[in-house]
Amino acid sequence: DKECSGRGAMTDWLKLNVGGTMFETSRATLTSHPTSSLARMFEPNSSLPPATITSDGVYQMDACPRSFSVILNWLRYRHLMLGEARAEDVIPVADYFGLEDLQDLLTRHM
């Protein structure tokens, strides 16, 4: 495990409020695509911190929760699981978080 000072370890479980929907995931999942801005936000010693953190430790992010759910599952499994989301709705969110591989996959899916 990559132990770090400050913002915790890669094994930490994090709570995120994304557009009003709560998600729980590991820091390792959020940083699994190391070149993405999402990964840089959650790296323990990052100079690009994620949005606001509430007093109870929840990260608040202003993004579409349905699209973020697709992104989170892709980060976990490297498999596109759209559920009820549409590829064209997920592409701008994937772009915002710098997930080029996912953007390419979504574009081919359209």
Side-chain angles (χ1 to χ4, degrees):
D1 289 334
K2 182 178 172 185
E3 294 297 325
C4 309
S5 62
R7 300 220 330 249
M10 297 304 286
T11 55
D12 286 350
W13 275 84
L14 306 176
K15 291 183 181 181
L16 298 91
N17 177 339
V18 181
T21 300
M22 294 297 292
F23 292 88
E24 290 189 39
T25 191
S26 68
R27 186 181 307 277
T29 295
L30 293 171
T31 60
S32 67
H33 194 284
T35 60
S36 71
S37 58
L38 185 63
R40 288 195 308 274
M41 287 179 193
F42 286 95
E43 278 290 334
N45 296 315
S46 175
S47 61
L48 179 68
T52 309
I53 304 172
T54 65
S55 60
D56 55 348
V58 176
Y59 292 89
Q60 292 183 302
M61 301 175 71
D62 188 18
C64 170
R66 183 178 290 167
S67 295
F68 191 77
S69 177
V70 173
I71 290 169
L72 198 53
N73 280 327
W74 182 78
L75 289 170
R76 288 173 174 144
Y77 310 115
R78 290 301 193 268
H79 181 74
L80 184 58
M81 302 165 65
L82 284 172
E84 297 189 16
R86 298 180 321 154
E88 56 267 27
D89 295 335
V90 180
I91 289 172
V93 183
D95 177 54
Y96 175 77
F97 288 121
L99 298 164
E100 294 175 12
D101 294 348
L102 178 57
Q103 285 177 260
D104 293 344
L105 183 61
L106 288 161
T107 301
R108 288 194 307 268
H109 188 77
M110 288 177 40

